[in-house]
Amino acid sequence: MALMQIVEPGQTQAPHQRQIAIGIDLGTTNSLVAVMRSGKVEVLADRNENTLFPSVVAYQSKERIIVGESARFNAASDPANTIVSVKRLMGKGAHDIDALEHSLPYHFKLKDNVPAIQTNAGLLTPTEVSADILRYLQTVADARLADNIEGAVITVPAYFDDAQRQATKDAARLAGISVLRLLNEPTAAAVAYGLDSGEEGIHAIYDLGGGTFDISILRFNRGVFEVLSTGGDASLGGDDMDQVISDWLIKELSISIDDNPALMRHILNLSRGAKETLSDTDEVSIHICLQGESYGQRTLSREKFENLIEPLVLKTLKACKRALRDAKLDDEPIRDIVMVGGSTRIPLVRKKVGELFGQPPLVSIDPDQVVAIGAARQADLLIGNQPDSDVLLLDVCPLSLGIETMGGLVEKIISRNTQIPVAKAQEFTTYKDGQGAMLIHVVQGERELVSDCRSLANFTLRGIPPMVAGAAKVKVTYQIDADGLLTVSALEVNSGVQSSIEVKPSYGLSEDQMIEMIQSSFTNANDDLEKRNLTEQKVEARRLIIAIDSAIQADGDLLDNKQRVALEQTLEALREVSQTDNLKNIRQAIEELDKASQLFAAKRMNNSVSKALIGQQVDNLSESTNAE
């Protein structure tokens, strides 16, 4: 007798079988990998029981590549071939690297038009170096987990732009890792904290890592995480504090580090150790000795250390204030402040953040592990192990995305802090008669003029059928996926011709750009509005001038001499005043030309109707009218 296998409705035939997905915190200084099993998140350790792996890769040869703690020990003896803090180089172009190269011990060359580092293993891009770190983390996970790993959620700073996010995905692909999603680091911390505590309300996530700073204001309500606003600095973190201490030591001891990258790396390592020690003690002694040569010794007190790093801490607080303003909380209280990143262990950081928010920050969750924990939870959800979960994760677009319109104006299509994934469309039209193509210029930023924003991409929609100006309908769609990557498409509605582009900028935002793009939108708001109004009127003036000029050339004989002279004089007056920046006069001249051309427009209309009626029979016209 045949047996039928019976399972309860909604269950699989093997409910004990679960897919495995990991969460990866790909950090500037350290990286972690975690997995959720049996309802709990486990941060995975290597064979030495280390869970925190330095994001350092030493290239001794093409065959011998060392990652992690052993590589970090190699940094001082072979700095040119030991890559540290590569995350800061992700998505950067040649111009950005030129600005950083003087402070780095690496030799850069172009590889397929991308800056690459010359190592014993050959020319390697930052993406390839990151792939080696991810490959190592995958190895750690494989050694600890018996099952096949189906995919990973990888975290990135909230302020990573499209180029940096794409570089991260490319690194994962090179490492053979299937990316389920890129997740903003502060949001990952919110997942870890919110799910563990179940607290509803407004949360501030202060994330100060080795190389990046992020602040996010989130609302957690009925299982929904909503990012209200984000801010930060992609080039600010614990590495900068190490550099400040290093600069102080070099000055104090009058050390020359010219053409001595090994000494520079050694001093940076000592500076990092001093920084970490001062989180628990009041002073630390630093003795600089390399290869048997002593360069001197200094004692660094916590008070002096705090004086050195205070400007950096204050920069993070400014970003926090902007994020709070952007969140528009309407006096809704901040429930708590979650501290993320190893640099938040510094007492001064905790003190200043507590003073800003009016309450002590939460430090009960390990700040080094909280991002990886959140990524593992999200990976477990995305792989399908939590079908009944009602948790919804909503990230936001950190900067507005728009399109250039006539006169160099920006028309915003997706506004800053819009929840993602998202798709928005807007219709545009042609400016000139017979226009057969349209240039789509994608820009990023908060200002009103293209010149004050960042150019992301250009592409051309061709094949638009010849029509009078304003007749064509071009639908432009901006779509941001869950990883924050942007695709732009353009469709001419009448003909169906279309074109699209996936935006992959060739370089990332510089520190100044990231800080100033939002701030300048506030400080220049009034001036920008005046410039926009002026430009719009100038564009309207040019459009009207072209239209009237064309009409006079085509049908000027419909006017008597006096009427034509009067119209041409009004036209010339607008032409002259449109060359000035007097908004009031331009607007007035447009109105005067509009009035002066009304008679001409009526005569042209009557003439067109008369031509259309020639040869038509009254009966045919009646039938046509009745049909309508």
Side-chain angles (χ1 to χ4, degrees):
M1 182 175 65
L3 298 177
M4 179 182 294
Q5 185 175 14
I6 300 175
V7 295
E8 293 294 328
Q11 290 187 356
T12 65
Q13 293 184 358
H16 60 283
Q17 293 182 354
R18 295 167 60 88
Q19 292 183 305
I20 298 296
I22 56 177
I24 294 177
D25 176 7
L26 184 61
T28 305
T29 306
N30 297 294
S31 295
L32 301 90
V33 58
V35 67
M36 190 168 184
R37 294 191 291 185
S38 302
K40 294 182 179 180
V41 175
E42 176 188 354
V43 179
L44 302 178
D46 63 11
R47 60 186 179 183
N48 297 319
E49 298 305 316
N50 296 318
T51 58
L52 200 63
F53 310 110
S55 301
V56 183
V57 187
Y59 294 95
Q60 298 184 345
S61 67
K62 287 186 177 181
E63 294 74 25
R64 183 163 174 74
I65 300 172
I66 304 172
V67 181
E69 194 66 37
S70 298
R72 189 167 71 177
F73 290 139
N74 198 66
S77 60
D78 190 11
N81 292 289
T82 306
I83 315 304
V84 179
S85 299
V86 70
K87 186 174 178 178
R88 281 192 162 186
L89 306 178
M90 293 288 279
K92 300 291 186 182
H95 175 74
D96 305 292
I97 297 300
D98 287 343
L100 294 171
E101 192 168 5
H102 73 282
S103 62
L104 299 173
Y106 315 128
H107 302 291
F108 290 91
K109 293 183 179 179
L110 287 180
K111 178 181 179 181
D112 298 327
N113 294 321
V114 176
I117 304 168
Q118 182 67 60
T119 72
N120 288 332
L123 271 179
L124 296 170
T125 65
T127 298
E128 291 171 315
V129 177
S130 293
D132 283 327
I133 298 172
L134 288 170
R135 199 174 287 113
Y136 178 79
L137 296 175
Q138 175 90 5
T139 301
V140 171
D142 287 337
R144 287 287 179 172
L145 304 173
D147 300 297
N148 290 330
I149 298 171
E150 302 296 332
V153 168
I154 302 177
T155 61
V156 293
Y159 252 65
F160 255 25
D161 69 359
D162 296 297
Q164 293 161 312
R165 291 171 188 269
Q166 186 62 47
T168 304
K169 293 189 75 173
D170 290 343
R173 178 180 52 81
L174 290 175
I177 297 174
S178 174
V179 179
L180 299 174
R181 181 173 179 183
L182 296 183
L183 183 63
N184 286 346
E185 291 163 3
T187 308
V191 171
Y193 178 79
L195 290 179
D196 287 345
S197 69
E199 295 287 347
E200 295 189 349
I202 305 297
H203 301 268
I205 314 297
Y206 181 100
D207 185 351
L208 185 60
T212 58
F213 168 68
D214 288 295
I215 176 68
S216 289
I217 309 299
L218 306 100
R219 176 181 283 114
F220 177 49
N221 182 35
R222 297 180 181 180
V224 176
F225 281 102
E226 179 184 1
V227 183
L228 301 180
S229 66
T230 63
D233 191 332
S235 298
L236 175 62
D239 288 354
D240 298 279
M241 298 178 183
D242 300 343
Q243 188 65 54
V244 166
I245 298 174
S246 177
D247 292 342
W248 174 77
L249 285 169
I250 291 170
K251 183 178 180 180
E252 283 286 305
L253 298 172
S254 300
I255 299 174
S256 175
I257 59 170
D258 293 338
D259 300 322
N260 196 342
L263 178 59
M264 182 176 71
R265 176 57 60 191
H266 179 61
I267 295 175
L268 281 171
N269 287 341
L270 291 174
S271 299
R272 185 186 67 253
K275 174 192 68 179
E276 294 171 354
T277 300
L278 288 171
S279 291
D280 301 312
T281 62
D282 292 330
E283 65 178 29
V284 61
S285 180
I286 308 171
H287 181 206
I288 301 176
C289 181
L290 182 64
Q291 298 175 345
E293 182 177 355
S294 176
Y295 293 88
Q297 180 175 334
R298 282 293 183 273
T299 297
L300 179 61
S301 67
R302 179 184 289 182
E303 181 181 2
K304 178 62 178 177
F305 168 62
E306 291 180 345
N307 288 336
L308 290 173
I309 68 168
E310 187 171 18
L312 299 175
V313 178
L314 293 179
K315 286 180 71 174
T316 71
L317 300 185
K318 288 182 180 178
C320 291
K321 292 175 183 177
R322 287 195 298 269
L324 286 170
R325 183 173 59 240
D326 291 345
K328 300 177 182 178
L329 298 178
D330 296 328
D331 297 326
E332 191 172 355
I334 299 288
R335 178 176 289 277
D336 48 46
I337 306 98
V338 179
M339 302 297 272
V340 182
S343 298
T344 62
R345 288 190 171 92
I346 297 172
L348 178 67
V349 172
R350 295 181 176 181
K351 176 185 174 183
K352 292 294 185 181
V353 171
E355 290 174 353
L356 174 65
F357 287 95
Q359 58 182 300
L362 295 178
V363 295
S364 57
I365 303 176
D366 187 331
D368 283 319
Q369 295 187 356
V370 65
V371 168
I373 289 171
R377 288 188 181 278
Q378 186 69 6
D380 193 62
L381 178 66
L382 292 177
I383 205 66
N385 290 333
Q386 302 177 45
D388 298 326
S389 175
D390 59 355
V391 175
L392 178 64
L393 190 58
L394 302 174
D395 273 342
V396 297
C397 175
L399 291 171
S400 296
L401 296 164
I403 187 172
E404 180 178 358
T405 59
M406 287 300 299
L409 296 175
V410 176
E411 182 70 23
K412 293 183 178 68
I413 293 181
I414 297 180
S415 300
R416 180 167 59 98
N417 286 330
T418 297
Q419 294 170 359
I420 61 173
V422 64
K424 290 191 175 183
Q426 193 164 327
E427 281 193 357
F428 298 88
T429 190
T430 49
Y431 183 73
K432 294 182 179 180
D433 293 343
Q435 185 174 335
M438 180 179 290
L439 176 66
I440 309 296
H441 183 195
V442 184
V443 296
Q444 180 183 45
E446 308 308 315
R447 303 287 294 277
E448 298 294 332
L449 301 182
V450 169
S451 58
D452 296 319
C453 291
R454 180 176 185 243
S455 175
L456 289 185
N458 290 278
F459 70 98
T460 302
L461 176 65
R462 302 185 187 279
I464 300 174
M467 306 181 199
V468 296
K473 293 182 179 180
V474 178
K475 183 179 181 181
V476 178
T477 303
Y478 279 38
Q479 183 172 349
I480 306 178
D481 65 16
D483 296 330
L485 298 175
L486 172 66
T487 300
V488 179
S489 61
L491 167 70
E492 203 290 305
V493 177
N494 298 314
S495 63
V497 297
Q498 59 183 329
S499 183
S500 66
I501 189 171
E502 182 175 329
V503 177
K504 297 178 183 178
S506 61
Y507 59 93
L509 290 170
S510 69
E511 177 181 351
D512 288 342
Q513 283 176 310
M514 284 182 291
I515 294 174
E516 291 177 3
M517 285 179 80
I518 295 176
Q519 186 178 25
S520 63
S521 69
F522 294 108
T523 57
N524 296 288
N526 291 332
D527 288 343
D528 283 355
L529 183 59
E530 291 179 4
K531 288 179 182 178
R532 184 179 186 92
N533 290 335
L534 176 62
T535 302
E536 286 177 339
Q537 291 300 307
K538 285 189 172 185
V539 169
E540 175 61 17
R542 287 198 296 272
R543 185 198 66 79
L544 194 57
I545 290 169
I546 292 173
I548 299 297
D549 263 338
S550 299
I552 291 175
Q553 291 178 13
D555 298 313
D557 56 351
L558 296 176
L559 299 172
D560 60 34
N561 186 60
K562 183 178 179 181
Q563 292 170 336
R564 180 164 180 165
V565 168
L567 181 59
E568 290 179 340
Q569 287 178 343
T570 311
L571 178 64
E572 185 61 30
L574 176 59
R575 202 191 311 271
E576 291 180 4
V577 76
S578 65
Q579 302 302 314
T580 72
D581 292 334
N582 192 315
L583 176 61
K584 182 179 178 181
N585 289 348
I586 295 174
R587 184 178 286 132
Q588 183 177 346
I590 289 174
E591 292 175 357
E592 289 176 355
L593 181 57
D594 186 56
K595 291 178 183 178
S597 62
Q598 287 178 3
L599 175 63
F600 184 31
K603 288 189 174 186
R604 294 190 75 205
M605 179 66 72
N606 292 335
N607 186 56
S608 296
V609 172
S610 298
K611 289 180 179 179
L613 292 177
I614 293 175
Q616 296 287 334
Q617 296 182 359
V618 175
D619 290 342
N620 292 341
L621 292 174
S622 298
E623 290 174 2
S624 176
T625 303
N626 292 333
E628 293 178 357

